[in-house]
């Protein structure tokens, strides 16, 4: 990585409860934040903002969105009052090769973003912009969409993608010491192995991997953000795993950086 280029980061964000119950994954996010050069702004791609078309938040003061239910009040009380950046929103619109909607009212910073950001940058003093996931796009279309964003990394913009490589809520076990399903371990290992070998095509065409892939990714919105991070890789760069693990039997907490 060149000395001035920001890395591209993927975080497996896991349960919203991690925002109020620190663990080894949140410790890894905190350590990562301390190791990074301070960015001028952060562009977040979160699994929790799926839209028709491509949208980007463009308000100066984004609200903290609590897009979940059935959790303790302490989780709903969390605010991440980072400023927005209309200038970065304009830059994203300029770079992407598709029409982009500048969103100024309805969205903000969702829990897929703030649950990680509160550990990366607890002071919430770096501007944050979110880019949505177009739900009509294929995995390859998401990967190709992300490539034009590479110049942002040389403009001191940190690009953070937040999702989970394995994310099957229908099969989770809530106890802390739950054993991973073999298919979850198999797919997580497949992803990390291909990623480390710089083999992106098998990860884009993940459905070809078979049953373990389909059990790991019953819906693709939590997987797509990982493809954005992979797409931001330059030829002289490699992926580095900074944390890994499978929680609640079927949630991968894999986190990696491109640098």
């Amino acid at each position: 990585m060149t000395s001035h280029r920001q890395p591209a980061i993927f975080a497996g964000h896991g349960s919203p409860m991690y925002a109020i119950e620190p663990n080894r994954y949140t410790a890894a996010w905190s350590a990562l934040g301390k190791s990074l050069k301070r960015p001028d702004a952060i562009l977040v791609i979160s699994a929790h903002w799926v839209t028709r078309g491509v949208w980007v938040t463009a308000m100066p003061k984004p609200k903290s969105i609590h897009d979940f239910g059935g959790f303790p009040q302490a989780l709903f009380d969390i605010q991440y009052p980072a400023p927005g950046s209309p200038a970065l929103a304009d830059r994203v619109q300029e770079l992407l090769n598709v029409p982009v909607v500048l969103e100024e009212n309805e969205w903000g910073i969702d829990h897929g973003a703030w649950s990680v950001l509160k550990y990366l940058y607890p002071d919430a003093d770096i501007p944050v912009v979110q880019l949505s996931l177009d739900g009509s796009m294929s995995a390859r279309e998401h990967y190709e969409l992300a490539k034009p964003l590479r110049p942002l990394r040389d403009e001191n913009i940190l690009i953070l993608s937040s999702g989970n490589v394995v994310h099957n809520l229908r099969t989770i076990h809530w106890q802390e010491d739950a054993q991973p399903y073999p298919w979850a371990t198999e797919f997580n290992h497949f992803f990390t192995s291909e990623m480390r070998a710089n083999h992106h095509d098998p990860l884009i065409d993940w459905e070809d991997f078979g049953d373990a892939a389909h059990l790991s990714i019953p819906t693709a919105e939590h997987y797509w953000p990982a493809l954005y991070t992979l797409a931001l890789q330059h030829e002289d760069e490699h992926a580095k795993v900074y944390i890994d693990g499978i929680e609640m039997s079927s949630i991968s907490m894999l986190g990696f950086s491109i640098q």
Side-chain angles (χ1 to χ4, degrees), residues 6 33 36-41 121 123 125-127 156:
Q6 284 285 352
L36 299 175
K37 181 181 72 165
R38 181 181 172 88
D40 292 332
Y121 298 106
D123 293 336
D125 57 353
I126 300 174
N156 203 32

Side-chain angles (χ1 to χ4, degrees), residues 101-123:
V101 178
L102 295 178
E103 202 291 291
E104 300 181 5
N105 299 299
E106 298 301 320
W107 205 247
I109 304 175
D110 65 47
H111 87 269
W114 58 251
S115 64
V116 178
L117 287 170
K118 76 180 291 287
Y119 291 102
L120 278 176
Y121 298 106
D123 293 336

